[in-house]
């Protein structure tokens, strides 16, 4: 059984500037067969790399212009012998969890909102959980 994961990023047209140094990372869970990861090409030519040791798929791009979007996808085979590790209590087969991390730099704008849309695929339900963490760097100090 093949599982496909697609993440689309869209920069708001109302932003003042472009997003710089965009990195998207997807963790590959133990319930899938890491050797079968197939990082799919996208229309923008941004190639993804899979690190088998860390079990992370990573895409990097220098810039995402305001108002534009890009999608990243990968396919992987689900292990038939994988233990249920997502908290399922009834022993049914469960879908793998793919944590997603997005990092970017924006000098002129701040992140004001995040919109998420997910869809059931071929009768398989989708669950979603958000953990938001923000970090900032101080780039300039004024003398006292």
């Amino acid at each position: 059984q093949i599982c496909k994961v697609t993440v689309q990023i869209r920069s708001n047209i109302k932003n003042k500037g472009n997003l710089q140094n965009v990195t998207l990372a997807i963790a590959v869970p133990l319930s899938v067969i890491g050797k079968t990861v197939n990082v799919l090409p996208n229309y923008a030519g941004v190639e993804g790399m899979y690190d088998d040791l860390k079990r992370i798929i990573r895409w990097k791009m220098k810039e995402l212009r305001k108002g534009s979007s890009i999608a990243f996808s990968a396919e992987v085979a689900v292990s038939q012998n994988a233990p249920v590790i997502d908290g399922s209590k009834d022993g049914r087969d469960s879908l793998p969890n793919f944590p997603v991390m997005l990092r970017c730099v924006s000098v002129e704008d701040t992140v004001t909102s995040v919109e998420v849309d997910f869809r059931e695929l071929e009768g398989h339900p989708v669950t979603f959980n958000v953990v938001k963490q923000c970090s900032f760097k101080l780039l300039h100090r004024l003398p006292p």
Side-chain angles (χ1 to χ4, degrees):
Q1 183 178 9
I2 299 295
C3 181
K4 182 175 181 180
V5 178
T6 301
V7 177
Q8 181 177 14
I9 304 168
R10 182 174 299 136
S11 177
N12 193 328
I13 190 72
K14 295 179 183 177
N15 286 354
K16 294 177 185 173
N18 301 326
L19 299 178
Q20 306 290 327
N21 300 325
V22 178
T23 301
L24 178 77
I26 298 178
V28 176
L30 296 174
S31 58
V32 300
I33 304 168
K35 295 176 187 176
T36 65
V37 170
N38 180 22
V39 181
L40 302 172
N42 61 26
Y43 63 89
V46 178
E47 291 186 27
M49 301 294 293
Y50 174 61
D51 184 332
D52 190 37
L53 182 64
K54 294 179 182 178
R55 295 183 67 92
I56 293 177
I57 307 168
R58 184 174 286 125
W59 292 267
K60 292 184 179 186
M61 57 187 299
K62 287 186 174 189
E63 180 178 72
L64 182 63
R65 301 184 62 79
K66 66 180 180 176
S68 62
S69 64
I70 187 168
F72 304 98
S73 298
E75 293 177 334
V76 63
V78 177
S79 174
Q80 300 301 321
N81 302 323
V84 177
I85 56 174
D86 68 350
S88 178
K89 294 177 178 55
D90 59 6
R92 290 182 298 139
D93 290 338
S94 58
L95 296 175
N97 293 314
F98 292 89
V100 176
M101 184 200 71
L102 174 67
R103 297 179 76 181
C104 62
V105 174
S106 177
V107 176
E108 301 177 60
D109 301 292
T110 60
V111 176
T112 55
S113 67
V114 175
E115 292 182 29
V116 178
D117 179 25
F118 50 91
R119 297 179 198 116
E120 184 177 287
L121 179 64
E122 297 175 5
H124 293 287
V126 177
T127 59
F128 185 72
N129 182 23
V130 175
V131 177
K132 180 181 171 187
Q133 296 183 349
C134 298
S135 65
F136 302 91
K137 285 185 180 179
L138 179 63
L139 301 176
H140 179 71
R141 292 185 186 184
L142 296 173

